[in-house]
């Protein structure tokens, strides 16, 4: 379903990025990078209100002709970015939300590991397997 | 009785074995011989050679046995030479027994000579290997009737000291310890495990942080040891325990040639892990927080990614803390990894927490061993453990919510890492398959930890508050401090009030006299009361019964002081006024005694007054400071707010 999944740290460097292995992986990386601007924009727009009221799920960040990019921010400014194939019209918002929730839960589990230093690359196998399960459908 | 070692040892003196020794040696011999018969391939050549008649122990198991004695290789060579096995080419019973005797001698620190075996020696200790499956972990079998673990341990250490050029005085001290400590058999077995090989390696890298936690573990394992052994034997014991826990792997490597069942935890291992757990966290049913576990496991010298992976495998409910089964699983994985086993892809079924909990029920350990732990814990350990406990208590006590929230919030509090997940996410997370596990774990932990909380609190409240608690000084302040800690665990108690100390309840009852300072006062008043049967004396009783500063009683203070102020005026007025207050039949000396009593009471009240006033001013000061802090923080927040839009 997802073509590319990325976890970006608060300082906007990637903690984890994984794409479907195609020849244009660099394109996905670039898309994720450019989507960060949109994420910041969305956060700042909501930022006038209290932080508590801010929605974690940011929704569709921007669509291109081939892909759609969705975003999600946690309370500690860690961003999840997901690139989804546009041709996959069956994907609904709820499904995207549930995918982000799974990502968030797995990320929490990674953080719970005392050997994980926040800011390191995520090398948890459980996290990998969870992301793979989200991406495996795409051939 | 093995009278003469005629056959094997050519010029050997008669080998006299005591009954115990003979029993032990024959059993060992039978074991080696039996193992030889069953051993794959190690038996045949020797067995063939030994075919004519006498039972022999094959070289393979015998060599294993000798290695298990933890003696260095050259000593073993010497022993084999001396006992004559080399000469005859096999280990007959005589050679075997002589060899065992020489091993015992070497372990006792005596030189390896034939003469050594003439004297009375303790039995040699070995790492007896039960079955193939367990050999890898070097589980010692129980040699029946032999309770010489400590002498072995001591002598073991003494030999090592010599080899490492340690001071000799430890040898003298170590035998003194032998009759003292009597721990269960398996921990000392584990102490023996690593000593030989890991010792030199780890001695060179003794870090400072090791002694403290290992000392805790030591005090666990040998409850009487530290108290009686003195400082001398402690360093070797530290290092011994240092080695014990982390060169298990070295020892296991030597003996581990058997790949089957690597993920099964045996009973001895289990006990060992539990002891380690208890050294980190006294309550066996509570958790080890992530940071504590991290420090502990980091000492195993595995790489961080591997440790991270092991953690991932073992922390089944992903809460950032390890329960006892999780801890055992993690420890087991670390041990296996150090032995060279590749980490599994998933947690093996024998290491699952449910399996571990089912296979090794914990509750019986909690009561007995917790008690023994608490009583054996040296005083210097208490504050540290207390802090840890209090920390966990405070963390856990901050969320006196129902279980589900507790799961999320508890773990959030316990993990020091920055959690960004919302509590509901965590509870959702745990709501999925881990729910039964977490729910099962949490209530139990809460119930047990609450008892430990109370114990900790009881222990904690005694040092801060002075024994003459009724006599205030900082009663108010101390009550505040304690209230912060008390409040969550005893929410029923009114905030701001101390739970009534034992001394207090009898006090209000006028018929009983309490602290000595007021005893005579009470008695005076009581007598006066009994004779007076008037309301005013009884009224005086009640204020008098509370004078010193229970904050609860403060409201009586004005009354007290009012009555007190009345009293002096009355007494100043003269005995007449006193007489008017007291009934006429009261004797003059009674009234004067009463005057004195009243005056002492006045004095006391004045003192109490002064102290309380001082307290008040201090608290006002604190309040001001807290206000200022609050203002400062609010300012900061205001400043930061526009910036943190992002």
């Amino acid at each position: 379903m997802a073509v590319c999944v990325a976890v970006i740290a608060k300082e906007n460097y990637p903690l984890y990025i994984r794409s479907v292995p195609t020849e244009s992986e660099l394109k996905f990386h670039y898309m994720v990078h450019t989507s960060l601007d949109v994420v910041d924009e969305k956060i700042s727009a909501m930022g006038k209100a209290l932080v508590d009221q801010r929605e974690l799920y940011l929704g569709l960040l921007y669509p291109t002709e081939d892909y759609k990019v969705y975003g999600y921010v946690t309370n500690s400014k860690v961003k999840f970015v997901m690139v989804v194939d546009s041709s996959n019209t069956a994907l609904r918002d709820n499904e995207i939300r549930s995918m982000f929730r799974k990502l968030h839960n797995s990320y929490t589990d990674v953080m719970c590991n005392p050997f994980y230093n926040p800011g390191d690359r995520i090398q948890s196998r459980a996290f990998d397997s969870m992301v793979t399960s989200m991406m495996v459908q795409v051939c | 009785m093995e009278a003469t070692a005629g056959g094997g040892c050519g010029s050997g003196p008669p080998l006299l074995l005591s009954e115990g020794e003979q029993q032990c040696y024959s059993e060992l011999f039978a074991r080696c011989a039996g193992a030889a018969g069953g051993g794959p391939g190690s038996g045949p050549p020797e067995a063939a050679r030994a075919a004519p008649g006498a039972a022999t122990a094959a070289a393979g198991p015998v060599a294993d046995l000798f290695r298990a004695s933890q003696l260095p290789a050259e000593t073993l060579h010497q022993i084999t030479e001396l006992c004559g096995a080399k000469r005859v080419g096999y280990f007959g019973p005589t050679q075997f027994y002589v060899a065992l005797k020489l091993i015992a001698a070497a372990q006792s620190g005596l030189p390896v000579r034939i003469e050594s075996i003439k004297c009375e020696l303790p039995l040699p200790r070995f790492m007896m290997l039960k079955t193939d499956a367990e050999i890898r972990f070097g589980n010692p079998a129980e040699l029946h009737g032999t309770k010489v673990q400590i002498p072995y341990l001591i002598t073991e250490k003494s030999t090592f000291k010599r080899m490492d050029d340690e001071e000799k005085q430890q040898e003298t001290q170590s035998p003194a310890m032998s009759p003292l400590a009597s721990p269960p058999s398996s921990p000392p077995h584990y102490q023996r495990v690593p000593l030989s090989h890991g010792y030199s390696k780890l001695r060179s890298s003794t870090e400072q942080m090791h002694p403290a936690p290992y000392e805790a573990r030591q005090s666990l394992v040998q409850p009487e040891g530290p108290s009686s052994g003195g400082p001398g034997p402690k360093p070797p014991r530290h290092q011994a325990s240092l080695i014990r826990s982390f060169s298990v792997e070295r020892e296991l490597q030597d003996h581990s040639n058997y790949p089957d069942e690597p993920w099964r935890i045996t009973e001895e291992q289990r006990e060992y892990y539990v002891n380690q757990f208890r050294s980190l966290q006294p309550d066996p049913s509570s958790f080890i927080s992530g940071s504590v576990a991290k420090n502990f496991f980091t000492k195993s010298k595995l790489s961080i990614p591997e440790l991270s992976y092991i953690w991932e495998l073992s922390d089944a409910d992903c809460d950032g803390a390890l329960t006892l089964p999780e801890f055992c699983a993690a420890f087991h994985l670390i041990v296996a990894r150090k032995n060279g086993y590749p980490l599994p892809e998933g947690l093996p079924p024998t290491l699952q927490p449910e399996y571990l909990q089912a296979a090794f029920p914990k509750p019986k350990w909690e009561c007995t061993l917790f008690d023994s732990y608490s009583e054996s814990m040296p005083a210097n350990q208490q504050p540290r453990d207390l802090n840890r406990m209090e920390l966990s208590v405070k963390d856990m006590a901050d969320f006196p919510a129902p279980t589900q929230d507790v799961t999320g919030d508890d773990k959030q509090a316990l993990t020091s890492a920055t959690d960004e997940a919302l509590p509901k996410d965590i509870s959702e997370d745990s709501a999925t398959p881990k729910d039964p596990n977490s729910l099962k774990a949490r209530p139990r932990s809460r119930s047990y930890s609450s008892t430990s909380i109370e114990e900790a609190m009881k222990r904690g409240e005694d040092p801060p508050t002075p024994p003459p608690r009724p006599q205030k000084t900082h009663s108010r302040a101390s009550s505040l401090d304690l209230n912060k800690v008390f409040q969550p665990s005893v929410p029923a108690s009114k905030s701001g009030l101390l739970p009534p100390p034992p001394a207090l309840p009898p006090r209000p009852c006028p018929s009983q006299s309490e602290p000595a300072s007021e005893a005579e006062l009470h008695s005076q008043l009581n007598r006066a009361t009994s004779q007076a049967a008037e309301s005013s004396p009884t009224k005086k009783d009640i204020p008098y019964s509370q004078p010193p500063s229970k904050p609860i009683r403060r409201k009586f203070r004005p009354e007290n002081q009012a009555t007190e102020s009345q009293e002096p005026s009355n007494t100043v007025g003269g005995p007449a006024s006193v007489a008017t207050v007291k009934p006429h039949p009261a004797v003059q000396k009674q009234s004067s005694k009463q005057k004195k009593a009243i005056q002492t009471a006045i004095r006391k009240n004045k003192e109490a007054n002064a102290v309380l006033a001082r307290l008040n001013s201090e608290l006002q000061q604190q309040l001001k400071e807290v206000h200022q802090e609050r203002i400062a923080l609010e300012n900061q927040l205001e400043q930061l707010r526009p910036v943190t839009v992002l």
Side-chain angles (χ1 to χ4, degrees), chain B residues 111-365:
Chain B
V112 179
R113 298 269 180 278
I114 295 295
E115 296 79 37
S116 317
I117 62 176
K118 285 191 191 161
C119 50
E120 197 69 28
L121 288 170
L123 290 172
R125 289 305 295 169
F126 302 99
M127 295 293 303
M128 295 307 294
L129 312 177
K130 253 197 244 182
T131 65
D132 284 357
E134 293 160 325
I135 285 175
R136 249 171 349 89
F137 297 98
N139 296 313
E142 304 295 327
L143 286 185
H144 56 272
T146 60
K147 277 294 194 183
V148 288
Q149 301 95 342
I150 302 311
Y152 170 79
L153 176 61
I154 308 311
T155 58
E156 180 53 42
K157 283 189 291 210
S158 65
T159 53
F160 271 105
K161 291 307 153 291
R162 204 163 12 154
M163 285 168 205
D164 289 341
D165 298 323
E166 276 288 285
E167 50 271 23
K168 303 279 181 152
Q169 50 126 3
Q170 302 185 352
E171 288 178 51
T172 56
Q173 280 178 358
S174 47
M177 280 169 31
S178 56
L180 298 174
S182 57
S185 51
S186 44
H189 286 198
Y190 259 95
Q191 283 176 354
R192 282 186 282 110
V193 166
L195 285 175
S196 62
H197 309 277
Y199 189 82
S200 48
K201 171 179 82 151
L202 281 172
R203 265 190 46 106
S204 56
S205 64
T206 312
E207 286 114 27
Q208 277 314 308
M209 62 175 173
H210 286 253
Y214 284 101
E215 181 174 357
R217 245 166 267 131
Q218 271 299 349
S219 62
L220 261 179
V221 172
Q222 291 180 337
E224 297 129 46
S227 54
S228 46
K234 264 204 179 153
R237 222 209 336 278
H238 284 180
Q239 283 144 356
S241 63
L242 182 85
I243 300 148
R244 160 184 58 169
S245 60
F246 284 127
S247 46
V248 172
E249 51 278 4
R250 286 290 302 269
E251 169 64 32
L252 299 180
Q253 263 172 358
D254 297 334
H255 291 268
S256 63
N257 301 317
Y258 312 92
D260 42 299
E261 292 286 356
W263 307 119
R264 193 170 286 277
I265 301 184
T266 64
E267 192 59 42
E268 289 87 1
Q269 288 176 312
R270 171 84 180 182
E271 285 187 37
Y272 177 62
Y273 299 153
V274 170
N275 284 336
Q276 299 295 322
F277 183 93
R278 207 169 286 113
S279 74
L280 296 175
Q281 164 63 277
D283 185 357
S285 67
S286 176
F287 317 109
I288 293 184
S289 72
S291 49
V292 170
K294 173 177 178 178
N295 289 337
F296 179 72
F297 287 137
T298 312
K299 293 180 203 150
S300 70
K301 311 280 195 308
L302 284 179
S303 65
I304 296 291
E306 289 187 350
L307 286 171
S308 174
Y309 183 57
I310 287 176
W311 176 280
E312 219 178 284
L313 284 178
S314 58
D315 190 5
D317 44 9
C318 293
D319 55 3
L322 295 180
T323 60
L324 181 59
E326 290 175 346
F327 177 84
C328 293
F331 211 137
H332 198 74
L333 285 169
I334 287 178
V335 165
R337 182 78 188 101
K338 298 279 296 192
N339 274 315
Y341 284 91
L343 290 173
E345 285 303 313
L347 197 63
T350 53
L351 289 182
Q352 299 278 350
E354 299 89 0
Y355 176 85
L356 287 175
Q357 274 174 8
F360 299 100
K362 307 193 306 277
K364 64 176 167 71
W365 293 341

